[in-house]
Amino acid sequence: MTPIDTKQGLLKIVKDPILRIDWSGRVLECHCHPSSDPAILELDLYNNRNIKDFEFLGEVYKAVRDCIESQESQSAYFSLGRLGSRTHYEVLVEPNDTDEVLAIIKEITKKRQRENELIEYYDLLQNIYEATSSWTGTDYLDQLTLQLSKALKADYTAICLIDDRQDLLETVSVNFIGGKIENVEWEIEGSPFEEVVTHSYFEIGHGFKNKFPHFELNQYHVFNGFVGIPLYYNELYSKPIGFIFALYERPLASSTHTEKILQIFSTRAAAELQRIEYQKKIEDSENRFKALYNNTPAYFSSTNKSGVVIEVGDYFLEKTGYARKDVIGRRAMHFLTSRSRKDAVKMLPDFLQNGYCKDVALQFIKKNGDIMEVMFSATTIRDEHGRFVKNIMSLNDVTLLRQVERDLRLSEERVIEEANRFQLLFDNSPVGIIIHSNGVIKHVNTETVRLARGNSIYDFVGKQAMSFVHPESKEIAQARVDKIYKTKKAHRNEQKFLCVDGSVIEVEAMGTLIDYQGEESVQIAFYDISDRKEAERHILVRDQELEVLNENLARQNNQLEEFAHIASHNLRAPITNMLSLIKIREADPSEATQAFVWENVGKTVRNLDETIIELNDVVKTSWELDKQRKILHFEEVLEKILNSIVDQIAKADAEFVVNFDMPSIFYPKIYLESILQNLVTNAIKYRRSNEKALIKLRSWEQNGRGYLSIEDNGLGIDLEKHGDKLFGLRKTFHAHQDARGVGLFITRAQIESLGGLISVESKEGKGTKFIVDFGTLKLISTDH
Amino acid sequence: MGKIRKVAVIDDDQVFQLIIKKQIEMKNFECEILSFFNGQEAYDFFKENVDQADVLPDLVMLDVNMPVKNGWDFLQDYQTLPSEMRSKIKLYMVTSSVIQSDIDKANDNENIISFVSKPITNEKLEEVFS
């Protein structure tokens, strides 16, 4: 084959037009295949046309010149608009000779379109990156829908999530005709969501509204085209979280990129949604924590690795008085007392190893210098890679708690001390103490055990309180207990206490209402007053004795007075007579008068002598100093008296009836003799002249007292008339017919001076009975 | 008051009775003397002659200490006698007692004109008889 043949052959194959162009742009040769691009053919480049004539070929001309000049391949581009569409061409220019080139025109419309698409795609991605790089969260999602609408040239783009209840779709971003609009909720039923999920990518060219007539979006708009793909979180492929879609009012011109673009967007949206979800979770917990941090009545703060405070809660500041700037940047240790710093250093290794510590008691210094008792807890926060983030510390103010604890301990100690003291007092009390409630003894002290002759408190505890009260005192004791409960006041009384061994002591008891182990109880304090009572009784007896003695003394005093009275009268009477007689003698010296005077002087002196002797008798017998008592037998005393008055007895022919039931008495001898003699002689003296004297003597003992009676059958006395003067001394001592003399006066004085009494019963003409009461019989002498 | 014609001396002391009689004789007072040795005797006499003014004395000298019925007991009975009768009798308590309680008691008794202590002097006797 010749070169020309080869050349012709090649030209037949190459369908693209080939031109030979000289340096001036003139087309020297044009080879066009019959099926070449009709647009090129229409240019009519065959007949020596110059490419400079076509404005749109300017770039080609430049490439021809460059090629000739540089003798290197060049390329240029041009496009032609034809039938409403534009066709793109590439012209490859190769050097052919020193002044001409070969140019081949290739249609590159499709290539260029693809290039454009790629550029667009690139731009889209670029836009997405640019648009989203500076945004996060919903803003980012809004950018995505915006960019999606641009990329897909869609009218409506949206990102939807399925809500937790699985029956609603919630948009998180909606773009409508280039602008963001409000988020909405749709029911899943009637929506294209299920189709999207089923097909992974779902596309409807036209008639969207007709296919999903119940989808709420279709109620207000007429959308024809639809594309959508589901959204998945990275780690949850099985379950879609929502979908991303685009709608077109016009029918959709399908594109191979649409699915890809949607996929890119869905990945981005899902990632952001997940991030948002995480962030929300973090924020939630963070917020919760923040709220906790700031509002909990605990003192939160955080430090970095070296213990410097980096965060601090409001409550912490409020309560410690520090400003945030006082705290941030300082070492946490700085706020502890020196002692607590040592404690904190001690627990540090454990904290570093375990990453936490709990309730370490420390002392924190407030801004004002006050010391706050705290319970310190801390925990180290690390991120998911285990890197240190911070130490969160909480201080629990236990100052008040500590104070309360201390107070409590102190008061507890005090209570115990009090209780001990009370117990000590209770046990060592010099009075017996019995505590009983509802009548049952709850507690007694040592003194009670001793006083009541018990062996231990168990002789009392659990027993009826009344069982220790003597029957005689039960009424008074019960009355007291009732009174205590009723008036709630202390009451005291004296009562007889029945001891464990059956013996009886007399006690003074004081009852008080108390609270014993939560029960209303009666506390009885008592002590033995048996000795005192005995002494009191003794004193009472002595009192009575003294009273008797006093009466006796008064009586004796009266007797003495009476005696003095009589004595002065009876002694003075003779003297006044003699004085008168002397006057008479002086006035009349006649013999007759002299005789009268002498005669009467003699009488007067004899009277005087008699009076003095009688007075002497009274003094001697009535106020005998020798009151020494002896055992005297009545028989013996009587016999001695009767022997001394044998003549009188014989003269009176007296008979004696003697009945000494009490044969003897412890009494002063002279007194008993004097008493008996007076009474016996009286009985004889005042006998009835026509009758034999019968004198009955009797002695007996009654109620510890001794008695003697002497009864006669004599004249008797009119007691109504003379009773009051019977034992008196208001009589002359002179022997007188009806004078009973000084005898009964002396007798009474003697009896009474020894604490006895004498009484008389008598009837005129019948007789008289004197009864001597010697008083309480004595065995030892107590008289002075 | 007219001349004393009858005097009653109530005293258990026989010697005093003789002495007063002698003193009155020596003063030449012409009057009758009635002697009573105790209150009872005197009262019985007064009571018996309560409406015979001639028999009753114009002047009474009464002792205190006497047996049976002493001066005070006599005065108690005397009080029961008609006051008309008593108003005509001058009653003096004449006694050897110098005990103040007797003097006070006598001064309190409306029937007694005065308490006169023995021995009775002539001057006193004149005063009593005046």
Side-chain angles (χ1 to χ4, degrees):
Chain A
M1 216 155 105
T2 62
I4 295 298
D5 292 339
T6 307
K7 195 179 166 184
Q8 287 302 318
L10 277 172
L11 288 171
K12 280 174 188 166
I13 301 165
V14 176
K15 286 179 180 164
D16 296 327
I18 298 169
L19 303 171
R20 196 159 56 87
I21 303 166
D22 72 4
W23 62 278
S24 66
R26 194 160 51 100
V27 178
L28 300 174
E29 202 178 341
C30 178
H31 176 81
C32 279
H33 195 274
S35 62
S36 280
D37 191 331
I40 298 296
L41 292 176
E42 278 173 22
L43 288 177
D44 192 21
L45 293 168
Y46 311 108
N47 298 317
N48 286 320
R49 298 288 296 261
N50 195 314
I51 55 170
K52 283 194 280 187
D53 298 340
F54 305 96
E55 207 179 318
F56 57 87
L57 292 177
E59 200 185 323
V60 176
Y61 174 68
K62 197 177 170 277
V64 170
R65 297 287 296 250
D66 287 349
C67 185
I68 292 168
E69 237 169 75
S70 66
Q71 289 296 302
E72 284 179 11
S73 302
Q74 299 289 328
S75 61
Y77 302 90
F78 69 94
S79 60
L80 290 170
R82 187 168 170 269
L83 301 169
S85 70
R86 189 160 277 275
T87 312
H88 298 276
Y89 302 94
E90 184 185 42
V91 181
L92 295 171
V93 184
E94 291 290 335
N96 191 36
D97 205 347
T98 52
D99 58 354
E100 57 175 53
V101 296
L102 289 173
I104 184 164
I105 300 171
K106 294 183 75 129
E107 201 216 311
I108 53 159
T109 309
K110 285 225 169 115
K111 187 187 167 199
R112 173 58 56 94
Q113 199 178 337
R114 192 165 173 75
E115 272 177 8
N116 281 345
E117 276 179 7
L118 282 172
I119 287 165
E120 227 177 289
Y121 189 59
Y122 174 79
D123 285 349
L124 179 72
L125 292 179
Q126 208 53 34
N127 282 343
I128 293 170
Y129 282 123
E130 277 174 19
T132 56
S133 65
S134 54
W135 305 98
T136 53
T138 47
D139 291 338
Y140 178 90
L141 296 174
D142 288 344
Q143 282 297 324
L144 282 183
T145 49
L146 174 66
Q147 294 304 329
L148 183 65
S149 69
K150 280 183 184 171
L152 297 183
K153 297 182 178 63
D155 299 307
Y156 188 105
T157 50
I159 301 168
C160 291
L161 293 177
I162 310 169
D163 85 336
D164 294 339
R165 286 168 297 162
Q166 303 285 320
D167 56 359
L168 283 178
L169 288 170
E170 296 172 335
T171 65
V172 289
S173 179
V174 183
N175 192 285
F176 185 52
I177 318 172
K180 181 193 168 185
I181 59 166
E182 289 275 302
N183 282 313
V184 285
E185 282 182 3
W186 301 307
E187 284 181 14
I188 288 179
E189 210 180 320
S191 77
F193 176 66
E194 276 181 29
E195 297 285 328
V196 171
V197 171
T198 310
H199 296 99
S200 286
Y201 171 74
F202 186 57
E203 181 182 306
I204 293 169
H206 58 88
F208 175 69
K209 183 174 177 167
N210 295 334
K211 285 200 170 140
F212 295 97
H214 303 298
F215 186 41
E216 281 159 271
L217 255 179
N218 287 333
Q219 309 306 311
Y220 315 104
H221 281 287
V222 178
F223 289 114
N224 265 302
F226 170 90
V227 286
I229 61 168
L231 292 173
Y232 292 97
Y233 282 158
N234 282 342
E235 65 271 37
L236 292 168
Y237 289 109
S238 59
K239 199 178 165 199
I241 57 159
F243 73 129
I244 182 165
F245 67 91
L247 289 166
Y248 300 85
E249 289 177 353
R250 64 182 185 281
L252 175 64
S254 187
S255 157
T256 50
H257 300 306
T258 309
E259 187 182 348
K260 269 214 165 92
I261 290 167
L262 270 172
Q263 264 166 4
I264 290 168
F265 275 89
S266 79
T267 315
R268 299 229 128 211
E272 183 62 14
L273 283 167
Q274 194 170 28
R275 195 192 66 78
I276 290 170
E277 187 67 20
Y278 283 152
Q279 195 183 1
K280 215 158 95 188
K281 276 183 185 162
I282 290 167
E283 272 174 12
D284 278 358
S285 61
E286 179 103 1
N287 282 340
R288 274 202 297 274
F289 178 72
K290 274 255 163 65
L292 218 60
Y293 202 89
N294 280 325
N295 304 326
T296 330
Y299 304 73
F300 282 115
S301 63
S302 310
T303 66
N304 64 11
K305 215 166 187 174
S306 49
V308 171
V309 179
I310 53 171
E311 286 176 316
V312 64
D314 293 341
Y315 189 83
F316 179 102
L317 297 173
E318 187 189 321
K319 291 294 171 184
T320 59
Y322 288 107
R324 193 163 253 115
K325 66 177 167 56
D326 296 336
V327 182
I328 303 284
R330 304 198 83 142
R331 284 175 58 79
M333 286 276 190
H334 171 81
F335 299 97
L336 299 178
T337 62
S338 56
R339 208 187 75 198
S340 284
R341 276 182 216 173
K342 282 176 200 157
D343 292 344
V345 168
K346 251 185 254 167
M347 62 96 192
L348 209 54
D350 271 355
F351 173 68
L352 292 175
Q353 197 188 331
N354 301 329
Y356 73 92
C357 65
K358 194 157 164 49
D359 290 345
V360 180
L362 294 175
Q363 289 182 319
F364 184 94
I365 306 165
K366 288 192 191 181
K367 173 113 181 179
N368 65 4
D370 283 357
I371 287 175
M372 181 168 80
E373 306 271 358
V374 297
M375 295 304 273
F376 172 85
S377 299
T379 183
T380 301
I381 304 293
R382 292 180 186 280
D383 67 11
E384 64 246 46
H385 307 294
R387 285 175 304 216
F388 177 90
V389 177
K390 59 187 176 184
N391 292 320
I392 292 180
M393 312 185 298
S394 109
L395 307 177
N396 208 349
D397 184 0
V398 290
T399 311
L400 201 66
L401 194 71
R402 283 284 141 80
Q403 186 60 42
V404 169
E405 266 174 19
R406 265 197 298 275
D407 289 353
L408 202 68
R409 205 164 47 240
L410 271 176
S411 60
E412 245 171 32
E413 279 166 12
R414 267 201 297 272
V415 166
I416 289 168
E417 201 179 304
E418 286 288 309
N420 283 341
R421 207 156 42 209
F422 174 73
Q423 191 61 41
L424 222 61
L425 198 68
F426 188 79
D427 280 338
N428 298 336
S429 164
V431 299
I433 300 172
I434 297 173
I435 295 169
H436 68 79
S437 63
N438 295 323
V440 178
I441 295 176
K442 300 287 181 191
H443 199 16
V444 301
N445 70 346
T446 318
E447 179 65 5
T448 301
V449 177
R450 192 190 71 79
L451 279 175
R453 297 173 178 92
N455 293 314
S456 77
I457 62 165
Y458 300 106
D459 286 330
F460 307 89
V461 173
K463 296 190 176 163
Q464 289 290 322
M466 271 299 163
S467 67
F468 292 96
V469 178
H470 190 272
E472 278 177 27
S473 300
K474 279 209 157 90
E475 204 175 315
I476 193 170
Q478 189 59 53
R480 186 202 58 215
V481 169
D482 292 346
K483 222 174 190 176
I484 290 164
Y485 275 117
K486 204 173 151 198
T487 65
K488 312 222 177 288
K489 280 182 188 161
H491 287 280
R492 68 169 67 221
N493 66 341
E494 288 175 7
Q495 62 183 63
K496 285 186 177 174
F497 189 95
L498 214 52
C499 294
V500 173
D501 64 357
S503 59
V504 177
I505 55 170
E506 284 180 86
V507 300
E508 174 159 2
M510 171 95 163
T512 325
L513 200 63
I514 62 158
D515 180 87
Y516 183 74
Q517 293 173 350
E519 255 184 295
E520 201 174 50
S521 309
V522 174
Q523 176 179 281
I524 310 280
F526 69 102
Y527 56 95
D528 190 351
I529 53 163
S530 301
D531 290 349
R532 199 188 79 190
K533 278 310 233 190
E534 188 53 41
E536 270 179 16
R537 267 192 292 276
H538 207 68
I539 286 166
L540 214 64
V541 169
R542 296 293 292 186
D543 258 8
Q544 282 163 353
E545 283 176 0
L546 276 173
E547 213 170 289
V548 170
L549 207 62
N550 206 31
E551 275 172 29
N552 289 348
L553 280 172
R555 238 178 267 129
Q556 287 185 19
N557 202 37
N558 283 336
Q559 286 165 8
L560 280 170
E561 215 170 84
E562 243 176 84
F563 177 77
H565 197 161
I566 300 297
S568 77
H569 177 267
N570 289 359
L571 284 171
R572 202 166 174 272
I575 291 162
T576 56
N577 283 347
M578 281 196 281
L579 287 170
S580 296
L581 288 167
I582 290 162
K583 285 270 181 210
I584 289 167
R585 185 188 162 273
E586 281 168 1
D588 179 10
S590 71
E591 212 163 300
T593 301
Q594 293 294 320
F596 170 81
V597 168
W598 278 116
E599 191 193 337
N600 284 296
V601 164
K603 278 185 194 170
T604 302
V605 170
R606 277 193 296 279
N607 280 347
L608 187 59
D609 181 45
E610 207 176 306
T611 298
I612 287 167
I613 288 166
E614 283 192 16
L615 281 175
N616 195 40
D617 274 354
V618 170
V619 171
K620 208 171 81 183
T621 53
S622 294
W623 293 278
E624 180 61 60
L625 284 173
D626 181 14
K627 289 184 180 177
Q628 193 65 47
R629 289 174 191 247
K630 286 177 182 166
I631 301 279
L632 305 169
H633 293 273
F634 287 103
E635 292 270 15
E636 286 171 19
V637 175
L638 181 63
E639 199 181 337
K640 186 182 171 190
I641 289 162
L642 296 184
N643 284 338
S644 71
I645 52 165
V646 164
D647 292 349
Q648 290 180 48
I649 293 166
K651 196 177 162 193
D653 193 15
E655 188 191 333
F656 289 86
V657 178
V658 176
N659 191 2
F660 294 130
D661 289 339
M662 177 177 68
S664 62
I665 190 166
F666 190 67
Y667 211 72
K669 190 177 178 229
I670 295 165
Y671 277 34
L672 189 60
E673 285 174 353
S674 165
I675 291 161
L676 262 174
Q677 174 139 20
N678 267 326
L679 293 174
V680 169
T681 48
N682 265 344
I684 293 167
K685 200 194 256 172
Y686 300 107
R687 69 178 185 277
R688 274 180 299 187
S689 51
N690 58 345
E691 212 164 315
K692 182 182 165 184
L694 178 66
I695 301 166
K696 295 178 185 169
L697 284 103
R698 200 181 144 225
S699 76
W700 71 97
E701 187 189 327
Q702 195 181 331
N703 297 330
R705 297 172 83 89
Y707 295 89
L708 172 75
S709 67
I710 295 171
E711 191 178 352
D712 62 46
N713 59 345
L715 295 166
I717 313 154
D718 180 356
L719 289 175
E720 276 192 30
K721 250 181 168 176
H722 305 291
D724 60 331
K725 291 188 217 89
L726 193 61
F727 300 101
L729 197 57
R730 286 181 188 269
K731 297 185 189 302
T732 172
F733 298 120
H734 297 269
H736 192 278
Q737 195 62 35
D738 61 349
R740 297 219 173 213
V742 78
L744 282 176
F745 171 80
I746 293 169
T747 298
R748 191 185 68 163
Q750 286 170 335
I751 293 166
E752 289 180 352
S753 75
L754 287 172
L757 288 165
I758 183 165
S759 58
V760 64
E761 295 167 6
S762 184
K763 233 176 177 180
E764 266 188 305
K766 290 280 179 190
T768 304
K769 184 181 184 182
F770 287 96
I771 302 152
V772 178
D773 173 358
F774 292 106
T776 309
L777 290 171
K778 293 186 180 183
L779 285 174
I780 51 160
S781 180
T782 54
D783 303 298
H784 303 289
Chain B
M1 185 151 299
K3 190 183 165 234
I4 301 297
R5 42 173 196 86
K6 205 180 260 186
V7 180
V9 180
I10 309 169
D11 200 314
D12 63 331
D13 187 345
Q14 287 177 337
V15 177
F16 176 75
Q17 292 276 5
L18 294 170
I19 289 169
I20 198 69
K21 207 176 271 175
K22 187 75 183 171
Q23 280 181 305
I24 289 166
E25 272 176 26
M26 286 166 71
K27 275 284 169 191
N28 295 316
F29 293 135
E30 287 175 13
C31 68
E32 190 187 339
I33 295 171
L34 303 169
S35 289
F36 302 99
F37 291 91
N38 62 51
Q40 192 64 49
E41 286 177 12
Y43 174 69
D44 291 344
F45 176 81
F46 275 89
K47 204 180 171 185
E48 207 172 297
N49 305 295
V50 72
D51 39 354
Q52 297 179 50
D54 293 350
V55 181
L56 292 173
D58 314 301
L59 179 72
V60 174
M61 293 185 195
L62 178 66
D63 187 17
V64 176
N65 293 293
M66 293 175 288
V68 185
K69 185 168 272 171
N70 66 19
W72 301 120
D73 293 340
F74 167 80
L75 279 168
Q76 257 182 358
D77 294 342
Y78 181 73
Q79 184 65 30
T80 64
L81 299 172
S83 59
E84 198 197 330
M85 180 209 91
R86 283 185 280 126
S87 66
K88 292 171 184 161
I89 299 168
K90 292 209 288 183
L91 196 150
Y92 287 86
M93 187 151 258
V94 181
T95 174
S96 59
S97 170
V98 285
I99 291 168
Q100 191 59 41
S101 64
D102 283 342
I103 297 169
D104 293 343
K105 209 170 162 184
N107 289 337
D108 286 345
N109 195 306
E110 56 178 30
N111 293 309
I112 297 169
I113 291 172
S114 177
F115 182 94
V116 180
S117 199
K118 293 179 189 172
I120 194 159
T121 58
N122 284 332
E123 293 75 36
K124 199 75 195 169
L125 196 64
E126 280 166 21
E127 188 192 313
V128 169
F129 271 82
S130 66

